[in-house]
Amino acid sequence: MRLGSCAAALGIAGLLFAAAVALPPVVKIGAIFTEDQKDSTTELAFKYAVYKINKDKNLLPRTSLVYDIQYVPRDDSFHASKKACNQVRFGVQAVFGPSDPLLGAHIHSICDALDIPHLEARLDLDTDVREFSINLYPAQHLLNRAFQDVMAFLNWTRVAIIYEEDYGLIKLRELVRSPHNRDLEIHIRQADPETYRPILKEIKSKEIHNIIIDTKPSNMQHFLKGILQLQMNDYKYHYLFTTFDLETFDLEDFKYNFVNMTAFRVVDAGDVNVQEILRDMTKFQHTLAMPPVLNSSFIQAEAALMYDSVFVFAIGLQTLEQSHTLKLSNVSCDREQPWDGGLSLINYINAVEFRGLSGPIEFKEGRRIQFKLDLLKLKQHAIVKVGEWNPGAGVNVTDRAAFFDPGTMNVTLIVTTILEQPYVMLRHQSNLSGNARYEGFCIDLLKGIAQMVGFEYRIELVPDGKYGAIDLETGEWNGIVRQLMDKRADLAVGSMTINYARESVIDFTKPFMNLGISILFKVPTVKESAFFTFLNPLGFDIWIFVFGAFFMASFTLFTLARFSPYEWVKPIPWRQQDYLVNGFNMSNSFWFITGTLLRQASGVNPQATSTRIVGGIWWFFTLIIISSYTANLAAFLTVERMITPIENAEDLAGQTDIPYGTLDSGSTMTFFRDSMIETYKKMWRFMENRKPPVFVPTYEEGIQRVLEGNYAFLMESTMLDYIVQRDCNLTQIGGLLDSKGYGIATPMGSPWRDKISLAILELQEKGEIQLLYDKWWKNTGETCTRNEKGKESKANSLGVDNIGGVFVVLLCGLAFAVIVAIIEFCYNSKKNALAEKRSPSSPHQSLCSEMGGELCFALRCRGSRQRPALRRQCSKCLPGVTYVPAILDIPINPPQPPRRQPPTNGVNHNYQEEIMHHLDSPPVDMQHHHLHQQHTDLDVM
């Protein structure tokens, strides 16, 4: 019994707990619609959602929803507030609607004051957080971002915005103020059914082809009628509608005129679940006393959002039921006492996440942040889905060709061009007409692009024959650019350079050819033979250095020969003589250096190590110099030297003798005119002020002026390559001054640009553009045969950078010889000092005195070529000694000196003078003829 009692008690407690947390059996909700929404799809969707929730026992198994619907006039906020207060008095726990922004704001103020959840499906322009509001309409700032992404994808640069209601401008203000649209030209007009046609006519006169439409759905047919009346329904125009219900309008008159109409939708009619709900809702409307306002194909966005809002409320109730008790509301507008359970309920509703008719649903602070928009595009058969947009990923166009599918269009485009070899040329046949009159690289390229993209074309020549440049004084364009700006042509094909100035007023496709500016010049003439051509193998600076080295080596040899004691030798080695001679006087030193330089013997040979080092290093120097000279002389005698007054743009800018110019009103002229590089600015000043003018109207005239001589033509490298390959009298000077490309030009915002760009890229990847280039540049049979001599085959004078190292070797060798001479001098002086110290008959001198005497003799003896064999000191350097002349100063028949040794001590002045005379005189046993012959030989040496 006790166990049974316990079980009964537990059951009763469970029932009491379940009753405590359960929802009430009936939950009242209210809906406020405007009078024009009565019996509409919005009301039908609201009733069907309540019906389906009550029928589905898995969602709210013990609770049923009961609704109360009130109708109010649009813009009548007083009656709307009264109707809302009546519903509050009725005990509703949530209020749905209305869709009008003004009425919705008043209803929300009542719900917010009484803590009653307010579920909306309307455009809300207020950016403030609404605590008790749940709005399923996508946030407007996210919608503006979606419109911006589509405009960027379509490459719109000029757009007109037509809005109808006053809040339409506020709705699109973010679209106008966006920093991403800073370069977008926007024209804003407010319109109504009475002014649709004048405003559309104004837009047409301004040649604005991209239009954003924000009108009431009820007036859409009037707007579409105005488009038809003004014939603004061809492929040039593109209309972007802000409505989500483009599929509900009759667009039969626009399907086959290729007009571009684009819009978003929030309901994916192709989804299987959506189609099932629509079929069931269509059946449900037959059970109500309502006219058939819904078909099973699509549903208006407002109705779908209303359907989803009811389910959001039901799911919020289901979540609340699991943890809280929902108390019945007992509030009224008179007492202004909030509902206790309203805050909990709104929090659970705000946390709802599910997928409804309008796609994924998620909220943040009452605003919908998760949704998916389908991008729709009108095609010939119907409106089709061509992409998607969501807040996280942006726009994703899955069918790019649908935006402009010219393959199914019978469109003839006007193509403007200029006659320019080899791009566009006239055929020689006289019986041709239309496009068949033209041939060339661009004609073949245009033909291939037209087949890939799918359009017909008619070629017309530009009237003024210019590509197009802006007049800085008037600000007006000319040439092809003017034609495209005035919409007199749809495309421009030719050697049309893409640059900043042109891109700011027209559009370009991807470049089909890359190029740069180069210099066309006449081939230099063969240089005439000069009288002193043999001097060319070595540069002027090298000749100066060779002569300098010659004098340096000669002077060094002379100095070291006098300085080194080992260069003083006996005149006749097999005879005993008391004096020494030095063969390297100044003249002999120069003669020795001259002979070795010219690869001849001189008859004088160095004896000392230092002088031999000088000779050896000089021989090495002459070997390198003579070999280099001989090798380069052969090149100069076999290679033709051309007279090239200019080698690059810097050479051209640094002279005024050769005039140079560009094509008038072309991109090359614009490049120099607008360049900030000092060299090019200097060239522009020269060209601008040159009289007579250096600008030419056509390439042919510029080429002719180059052929006449003394003129350089600055032109684009592709055209220059074509001319050079056909005329061997012309050549290219220097490299490219810049880098740019040729593109096909279109009017600003043209829908053809992207399609043609894709075709160009495909042709480049297949290599067909390169084949066309080879066809018109190299394989025409008109190319000349030239014997080009590259820079590597030309003979240039040798400079310091070529053989400067041999001069360094020579200097190092001479320096080393000087060091060796000093060592020889010191060693010999020390040896003589020691020998004189041991000899009792010699005057004793210190090492310093001995070195001083030797040095004095080498430096101050005025070129004397002989010295005593016993005492190597100069008689002029000894104190108290009279100087005795050298052998060249004595008479032919000298008196025979006495043969006796001079005393070592007590030598008087006269006797010492006699000794020195004896030492400087030849031996007494030499015959007069022999002595005279020796003097003669020494003089020659």
Side-chain angles (χ1 to χ4, degrees):
M1 290 295 293
R2 289 182 178 180
L3 291 176
S5 300
C6 292
L10 290 175
I12 294 173
L15 291 175
L16 292 175
F17 178 78
V21 300
L23 296 175
V26 175
V27 174
K28 299 178 181 180
I29 58 175
I32 298 178
F33 299 121
T34 57
E35 291 181 349
D36 57 349
Q37 291 179 321
K38 188 175 182 180
D39 294 335
S40 65
T41 55
T42 304
E43 182 179 354
L44 174 63
F46 177 79
K47 293 179 179 180
Y48 174 73
V50 174
Y51 163 76
K52 190 172 183 180
I53 291 172
N54 292 334
K55 186 178 179 181
D56 184 7
K57 296 303 179 181
N58 293 324
L59 187 58
L60 297 175
R62 292 177 294 273
T63 302
S64 299
L65 298 181
V66 176
Y67 59 81
D68 176 71
I69 298 178
Q70 299 292 330
Y71 304 98
V72 297
R74 187 175 291 274
D75 300 333
D76 190 349
S77 59
F78 175 75
H79 287 91
S81 300
K82 289 183 63 176
K83 295 289 180 71
C85 289
N86 291 335
Q87 289 182 342
V88 170
R89 193 179 301 111
F90 178 69
V92 297
Q93 297 176 344
V95 178
F96 295 82
S99 60
D100 184 80
L102 182 61
L103 297 180
H106 283 82
I107 301 302
H108 175 73
S109 64
I110 297 174
C111 295
D112 186 61
L114 302 177
D115 287 3
I116 297 177
H118 183 207
L119 286 89
E120 303 176 275
R122 66 175 178 88
L123 173 65
D124 187 6
L125 302 179
D126 193 356
T127 58
D128 296 334
V129 177
R130 299 177 181 269
E131 185 177 3
F132 282 89
S133 173
I134 300 294
N135 196 342
L136 274 78
Y137 197 91
Q140 185 60 39
H141 72 278
L142 296 178
L143 293 178
N144 288 335
R145 191 186 305 170
F147 293 140
Q148 290 174 5
D149 291 347
V150 173
M151 292 164 62
F153 171 77
L154 297 176
N155 191 35
W156 283 5
T157 55
R158 300 181 69 207
V159 61
I161 298 177
I162 299 178
Y163 68 97
E164 186 167 339
E165 298 178 303
D166 293 336
Y167 64 83
L169 180 60
I170 304 175
K171 178 171 68 175
L172 300 174
R173 61 186 175 186
E174 293 182 2
L175 188 64
V176 177
R177 298 176 181 176
S178 174
H180 301 288
N181 299 333
R182 190 169 300 169
D183 299 331
L184 182 64
E185 181 182 345
I186 301 178
H187 299 259
I188 304 175
R189 297 291 184 272
Q190 186 175 12
D192 54 43
E194 301 296 330
T195 59
Y196 281 155
R197 185 169 178 176
I199 290 177
L200 287 173
K201 188 175 183 180
E202 177 189 357
I203 292 175
K204 182 179 180 180
S205 64
K206 292 183 177 181
E207 297 183 350
I208 302 175
H209 298 149
N210 306 311
I211 307 172
I212 298 178
I213 312 300
D214 182 61
T215 64
K216 295 180 181 179
S218 58
N219 296 331
M220 183 61 70
Q221 293 301 329
H222 295 282
F223 180 82
L224 297 178
K225 184 179 180 181
I227 293 177
L228 293 174
Q229 290 175 346
L230 294 175
Q231 296 182 354
M232 298 173 64
N233 59 335
D234 57 15
Y235 70 93
K236 294 181 180 179
Y237 292 93
H238 200 138
Y239 300 93
L240 177 60
F241 295 92
T242 60
T243 179
F244 292 142
D245 301 323
L246 185 64
E247 293 173 297
T248 62
F249 302 123
D250 183 12
L251 302 178
E252 189 67 24
D253 295 332
F254 299 90
K255 290 181 180 179
Y256 304 99
N257 291 329
F258 312 109
V259 63
N260 297 282
M261 290 187 172
T262 306
F264 286 113
R265 71 179 181 189
V266 294
V267 181
D268 186 2
D271 187 82
V272 177
N273 295 328
V274 173
Q275 292 176 354
E276 183 179 353
I277 293 174
L278 292 181
R279 286 194 298 267
D280 195 19
M281 192 182 300
T282 304
K283 295 177 182 178
F284 175 75
Q285 73 175 342
H286 297 305
T287 63
L288 302 176
M290 293 180 60
V293 294
L294 180 70
N295 58 45
S296 58
S297 299
F298 48 81
I299 185 174
Q300 293 180 344
E302 185 178 348
L305 295 176
M306 179 59 70
Y307 174 88
D308 288 341
S309 63
V310 178
F311 268 86
V312 167
F313 175 75
I315 295 174
L317 285 177
Q318 182 188 36
T319 309
L320 176 70
E321 182 184 15
Q322 299 175 2
S323 57
H324 288 76
T325 301
L326 182 65
K327 299 179 181 181
L328 297 177
S329 62
N330 186 16
V331 295
S332 67
C333 295
D334 299 332
R335 290 184 299 175
E336 299 183 6
Q337 183 178 358
W339 176 34
D340 295 337
L343 182 61
S344 298
L345 179 58
I346 197 68
N347 289 335
Y348 279 102
I349 295 176
N350 198 32
V352 170
E353 295 183 12
F354 91 110
R355 188 177 187 89
L357 279 177
S358 59
I361 298 175
E362 184 180 346
F363 303 99
K364 181 179 181 182
E365 297 178 349
R367 297 184 183 275
R368 185 172 180 179
I369 60 172
Q370 184 60 259
F371 57 91
K372 178 179 70 68
L373 300 177
D374 291 337
L375 185 61
L376 304 180
K377 174 70 173 58
L378 176 65
K379 298 189 74 172
Q380 281 185 303
H381 56 284
I383 297 176
V384 297
K385 176 183 176 181
V386 295
E388 295 179 356
W389 188 94
N390 60 70
V395 66
N396 178 26
V397 179
T398 56
D399 186 6
R400 291 176 175 265
F403 276 94
F404 197 74
D405 188 6
T408 59
M409 300 182 184
N410 185 17
V411 178
T412 301
L413 302 182
I414 299 176
V415 180
T416 183
T417 187
I418 292 179
L419 293 177
E420 200 72 72
Q421 294 182 345
Y423 300 99
V424 180
M425 299 177 291
L426 286 173
R427 295 182 184 271
H428 300 296
Q429 294 87 338
S430 59
N431 57 347
L432 299 177
S433 62
N435 299 337
R437 295 173 296 168
Y438 305 99
E439 65 175 354
F441 173 84
C442 287
I443 301 301
D444 291 348
L445 178 64
L446 178 63
K447 187 182 300 182
I449 292 176
Q451 292 176 355
M452 296 177 63
V453 177
F455 61 84
E456 301 294 330
Y457 58 91
R458 184 174 75 251
I459 300 176
E460 296 181 357
L461 299 179
V462 63
D464 59 2
K466 296 181 179 180
Y467 288 97
I470 188 172
D471 190 333
L472 297 180
E473 296 180 357
T474 63
E476 296 294 329
W477 286 84
N478 58 12
I480 289 178
V481 179
R482 182 81 263 170
Q483 293 291 105
L484 294 175
M485 292 176 63
D486 295 341
K487 303 296 190 299
R488 298 194 186 102
D490 299 300
L491 299 177
V493 178
S495 53
M496 190 81 172
T497 305
I498 305 172
N499 58 25
Y500 171 77
R502 291 173 178 171
E503 189 73 48
S504 61
V505 293
I506 60 176
D507 282 342
F508 281 95
T509 63
K510 298 293 183 182
F512 59 82
M513 184 178 292
N514 296 313
L515 63 146
I517 297 175
S518 191
I519 304 172
L520 181 69
F521 200 64
K522 191 175 182 181
V523 173
T525 57
V526 180
K527 183 178 179 181
E528 297 179 359
S529 299
F531 194 68
F532 292 97
T533 307
F534 66 91
L535 296 177
N536 291 338
L538 298 182
F540 179 76
D541 51 352
I542 293 298
W543 284 115
I544 297 298
F545 291 156
V546 167
F547 283 112
F550 172 80
F551 286 106
M552 180 182 294
S554 301
F555 181 75
T556 303
L557 181 62
F558 168 73
T559 303
L560 296 185
R562 292 198 56 79
F563 189 73
S564 176
Y566 298 102
E567 196 60 46
W568 297 88
V569 296
K570 295 179 181 181
I572 302 178
W574 57 87
R575 292 187 179 181
Q576 185 67 29
Q577 288 128 344
D578 294 333
Y579 67 96
L580 304 176
V581 296
N582 190 335
F584 284 99
N585 59 0
M586 185 63 71
S587 62
N588 287 346
S589 299
F590 275 92
W591 180 248
F592 175 81
I593 296 299
T594 303
T596 54
L597 177 63
L598 300 177
R599 319 302 295 167
Q600 300 296 325
S602 61
V604 183
N605 295 313
Q607 302 296 323
T609 303
S610 58
T611 54
R612 288 182 175 181
I613 292 176
V614 173
I617 201 66
W618 177 253
W619 292 341
F620 173 78
F621 173 81
T622 57
L623 174 66
I624 299 300
I625 293 296
I626 297 300
S627 300
S628 302
Y629 173 83
T630 305
N632 211 32
L633 179 62
F636 266 86
L637 295 178
T638 56
V639 176
E640 291 182 349
R641 296 289 292 161
M642 299 295 181
I643 301 175
T644 308
I646 54 175
E647 294 287 346
N648 47 45
E650 286 73 16
D651 294 344
L652 202 60
Q655 56 83 45
T656 57
D657 296 333
I658 302 175
Y660 48 90
T662 67
L663 186 69
D664 189 20
S665 298
S667 62
T668 304
M669 186 191 77
T670 305
F671 168 78
F672 284 99
R673 185 188 65 193
D674 301 336
S675 178
M676 300 303 295
I677 301 175
E678 188 59 35
T679 300
Y680 302 152
K681 290 169 65 176
K682 182 178 179 181
M683 295 175 68
W684 170 249
R685 290 192 296 268
F686 174 85
M687 291 186 287
E688 187 179 26
N689 301 322
R690 183 76 176 188
K691 301 297 180 182
V694 293
F695 299 107
V696 295
T698 62
Y699 275 122
E700 287 75 13
E701 184 173 337
I703 295 168
Q704 185 60 36
R705 290 188 62 175
V706 173
L707 289 172
E708 292 173 359
N710 199 38
Y711 180 78
F713 189 42
L714 297 158
M715 61 189 304
E716 291 165 346
S717 59
T718 50
M719 179 62 69
L720 187 147
D721 187 24
Y722 178 82
I723 298 301
V724 167
Q725 294 210 29
R726 282 155 180 76
D727 195 334
C728 293
N729 294 322
L730 300 174
T731 185
Q732 177 179 345
I733 299 297
L736 302 182
L737 306 187
D738 68 339
S739 179
K740 51 192 173 184
Y742 285 155
I744 296 177
T746 65
M748 186 72 75
S750 173
W752 295 98
R753 188 193 70 168
D754 293 339
K755 199 70 177 179
I756 295 176
S757 294
L758 293 175
I760 290 174
L761 294 176
E762 184 175 354
L763 291 174
Q764 286 178 337
E765 292 177 358
K766 291 181 179 179
E768 295 185 13
I769 293 183
Q770 183 62 41
L771 293 176
L772 290 178
Y773 183 87
D774 295 339
K775 170 186 175 182
W776 290 102
W777 264 258
K778 302 178 181 179
N779 301 331
T780 60
E782 301 175 0
T783 56
C784 69
T785 303
R786 67 178 72 211
N787 185 19
E788 293 284 356
K789 293 181 174 66
K791 292 184 178 180
E792 65 278 359
S793 65
K794 294 182 180 179
N796 297 317
S797 299
L798 297 178
V800 177
D801 53 344
N802 302 118
I803 56 175
V806 70
F807 292 95
V808 177
V809 174
L810 177 62
L811 291 176
C812 294
L814 296 180
F816 180 68
V818 170
I819 296 173
V820 173
I822 294 174
I823 295 174
E824 291 176 338
F825 176 80
C826 296
Y827 175 76
N828 188 72
S829 299
K830 183 177 180 180
K831 184 178 67 173
N832 291 340
L834 293 177
E836 291 171 355
K837 187 176 181 180
R838 296 192 199 99
S839 173
S841 60
S842 300
H844 296 288
Q845 297 187 58
S846 64
L847 176 60
C848 293
S849 300
E850 181 70 21
M851 293 180 64
E854 294 286 347
L855 183 61
C856 183
F857 178 82
L859 298 179
R860 300 181 59 187
C861 287
R862 303 183 183 273
S864 178
R865 293 174 50 198
Q866 64 181 56
R867 64 192 300 180
L870 300 178
R871 293 298 304 262
R872 298 164 183 80
Q873 60 187 24
C874 179
S875 58
K876 289 183 63 176
C877 300
L878 294 176
V881 179
T882 304
Y883 170 70
V884 179
I887 188 172
L888 297 178
D889 300 329
I890 62 176
I892 301 301
N893 300 313
Q896 304 233 346
R899 294 180 175 270
R900 58 181 180 182
Q901 294 292 334
T904 58
N905 296 314
V907 180
N908 57 30
H909 179 75
N910 294 330
Y911 186 70
Q912 193 171 15
E913 196 175 52
E914 182 182 355
I915 293 174
M916 295 305 300
H917 181 74
H918 170 73
L919 291 175
D920 289 339
S921 301
V924 297
D925 57 347
M926 295 181 63
Q927 297 180 1
H928 171 72
H929 176 74
H930 182 217
L931 181 60
H932 178 73
Q933 184 66 35
Q934 183 182 5
H935 292 167
T936 305
D937 294 339
L938 290 175
D939 290 339
V940 173
M941 294 173 64

